[in-house]
């Protein structure tokens, strides 16, 4: 349509002074993909033009003259076969021109599909008082013509049907937001209706309770720091979600972390309701990226889990470099240590790492003491070795 209005600016003033220069029929038709169309351009009397001198363009490209027919001295038709979907929702521009190229009349063609049943309807709430929903177009997806989607909802057993009014645009255009006035402890029925001038379709009905679809923003202020001089541990801390500060619930957190040069994440599931975690068994002198997400559990006593939030923005920290790596010393040969002591330490180390991995607090203090003792032992050995040199 904007393209056609621009072309009209090119029409000579003396032609525009007439009541009608020419008329295209049908005007702005809506057609299914693959159909054919015959359109006519009828000149206004007294212009001194002949239908045989006219020509047609579609989206700025000339239409082959073999598809023209002169129906009368003042009427030229064109027949278009097997139409493709419109290149833009504002329609394709079919224009009738005079012999000198000036625009005489135009029409917008809307060619597309009728909508199919919308699918993948999902909803969530960030504070138990609002509701956001999104869906996907059904079937082929893009209809190529302007299609209206309406999200409808009602209380399951009573209450009148309501329309969602706040729709997103752009990439998130298949979504809608209900900001308030929602009931708790009562299920809702929610569905989406799609309609254009070629047809209509309705999604399946989704039944949900607001308390069962609560989620949060990702945890904020995620910080990662070293644990003193321990070279294989990092501490992660974060803030609980502010959206649910006035709601009775228990948050469940999950952590994932990876090496700087790796794309593989390791997930820690046993974080529980705490807002800090000790990661153990890490590689010394290595940068780790860490993310946290939240699942609100037991909202107002609900037995169903909420919906996991998105992962937080990555936070990073490095573990201390091992003293042994700094000194350049070599590991002792197997025969240089008491074999019984070595075997006991190996068993003890494996036991501690097994029980202290993730965020479990079991034996963390004992593990810390043992690690500090081990590092002091390495330092003492290195000093002795240096003095002997």
């Amino acid at each position: 349509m904007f393209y056609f209005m621009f072309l009209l600016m090119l029409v000579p003033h003396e032609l525009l002074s007439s009541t009608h220069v020419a008329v295209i029929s049908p005007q702005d038709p809506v057609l299914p993909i693959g159909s054919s169309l015959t359109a006519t351009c009828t000149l206004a009397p007294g212009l001194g033009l002949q239908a045989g001198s006219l020509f047609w363009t579609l989206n700025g490209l000339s239409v082959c003259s073999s598809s023209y027919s002169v129906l009368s001295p003042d009427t030229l038709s064109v027949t278009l076969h097997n139409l493709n979907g419109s290149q833009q929702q504002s329609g394709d521009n079919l224009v009738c021109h005079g012999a000198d190229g000036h625009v005489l009349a135009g029409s917008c063609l809307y060619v597309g599909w009728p909508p199919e049943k919308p699918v993948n309807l999902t909803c969530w709430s960030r504070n138990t008082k609002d509701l956001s929903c999104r869906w996907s177009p059904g079937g082929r997806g893009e209809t190529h013509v302007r299609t209206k989607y309406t999200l409808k909802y009602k209380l399951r057993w009573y209450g009148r049907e309501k329309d969602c009014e706040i729709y997103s645009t752009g990439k998130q255009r298949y979504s809608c937001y209900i900001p308030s006035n929602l009931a708790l402890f009562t299920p809702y029925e929610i569905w989406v209706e799609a309609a254009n001038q070629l047809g209509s379709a309705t999604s399946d009905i989704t039944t949900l309770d607001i308390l069962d679809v609560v989620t949060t923003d990702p945890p904020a202020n995620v910080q990662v720091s070293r644990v003193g001089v321990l070279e294989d541990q990092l501490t992660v801390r974060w803030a609980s979600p502010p959206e649910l500060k006035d709601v009775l619930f228990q948050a469940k957190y999950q952590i994932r972390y990876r090496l700087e040069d790796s794309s593989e994440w390791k997930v820690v599931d046993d974080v529980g309701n705490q807002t800090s975690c000790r990661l153990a068994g890490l590689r010394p002198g290595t940068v780790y990226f860490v993310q946290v997400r939240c699942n609100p559990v037991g909202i107002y006593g609900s037995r169903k889990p909420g919906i996991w939030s998105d992962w937080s923005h990555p936070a990073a920290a490095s573990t201390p470099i091992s003293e042994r790596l700094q000194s350049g010393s070599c590991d002792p040969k197997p025969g240089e240590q008491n074999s019984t002591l070595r075997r006991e330490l190996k068993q003890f180390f494996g036991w501690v790492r097994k029980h202290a991995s993730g965020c479990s607090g079991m034996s963390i203090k004992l593990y810390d003491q043992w690690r500090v003792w081990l590092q002091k032992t390495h330092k003492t050995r290195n000093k002795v070795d240096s003095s002997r040199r």
Side-chain angles (χ1 to χ4, degrees), residues 8 28 92 95 118-119 141 181 186 208 232 245 276 347 360 380:
L8 285 178
D28 301 339
D92 294 331
V95 179
V119 295
N181 299 322
T186 303
L208 58 84
D232 64 345
K245 62 182 179 180
S276 64
Q347 293 172 349
S360 171
T380 303

Side-chain angles (χ1 to χ4, degrees), residues 151-374:
L151 179 78
K152 295 180 175 289
Y153 63 101
K154 64 181 290 293
L155 291 170
R156 185 175 186 182
W157 294 297
Y158 57 90
R160 63 185 179 85
E161 179 182 301
K162 297 181 180 181
D163 290 355
C164 180
E165 298 179 354
I166 305 176
Y167 291 87
S168 300
T169 57
K171 293 182 179 180
Q172 302 297 324
R173 67 183 183 274
Y174 302 118
S175 62
C176 194
Y177 177 63
I178 305 169
S180 59
N181 299 322
L182 293 169
L184 301 180
F185 309 106
T186 303
Y188 277 92
E189 291 182 345
I190 302 176
W191 66 97
V192 177
E193 296 179 356
N196 61 28
Q197 290 181 273
L198 295 172
S200 61
T202 301
S203 72
D204 293 333
I205 294 176
T206 295
T207 302
L208 58 84
D209 191 309
I210 302 298
L211 296 181
D212 295 336
V213 293
V214 178
T215 188
T216 71
D217 286 331
N221 300 323
V222 178
Q223 300 177 2
V224 186
S225 58
R226 295 179 176 182
V227 184
V229 296
L230 299 179
E231 75 255 9
D232 64 345
Q233 297 186 34
L234 291 172
T235 294
V236 187
R237 294 183 175 85
W238 59 91
S240 59
E243 302 93 337
L244 299 175
K245 62 182 179 180
D246 299 324
V247 179
L248 179 63
F249 81 107
Q250 228 184 7
K252 179 181 179 181
Y253 296 100
Q254 206 175 55
I255 291 177
R256 69 177 185 179
Y257 61 95
R258 65 174 176 84
L259 298 173
E260 181 183 25
D261 57 355
S262 172
S263 59
E264 183 177 349
W265 293 92
K266 182 176 181 180
V267 178
V268 180
D269 287 312
D270 59 346
V271 182
N273 193 36
Q274 56 190 335
T275 55
S276 64
C277 170
R278 179 83 65 87
L279 300 177
L282 306 179
R283 184 185 300 174
T286 304
V287 175
Y288 283 87
F289 286 93
V290 181
Q291 292 179 296
V292 186
R293 66 176 180 174
C294 176
N295 187 331
V297 179
I299 301 287
Y300 291 125
S302 172
R303 295 185 177 181
K304 293 185 178 181
I307 299 175
W308 283 107
S309 72
D310 293 332
W311 289 102
S312 66
H313 293 297
S318 63
T319 51
I321 298 176
S322 171
E323 290 291 337
R324 294 162 63 189
L325 295 177
Q326 288 181 327
S327 65
S329 62
C330 300
D331 288 333
K333 296 180 180 180
E336 295 178 358
Q337 278 189 310
N338 183 283
S339 59
T340 303
L341 177 60
R342 185 174 67 251
R343 184 171 59 254
E344 290 176 352
L345 284 175
K346 185 176 180 180
Q347 293 172 349
F348 178 75
F349 180 74
W351 181 89
V352 171
R353 287 191 61 179
K354 178 180 178 182
H355 292 83
S357 62
C359 295
S360 171
M362 182 182 296
S363 302
I364 276 289
K365 186 175 181 181
L366 182 60
Y367 178 75
D368 291 348
Q369 293 173 350
W370 182 74
R371 292 294 298 151
V372 170
W373 171 85
L374 186 62

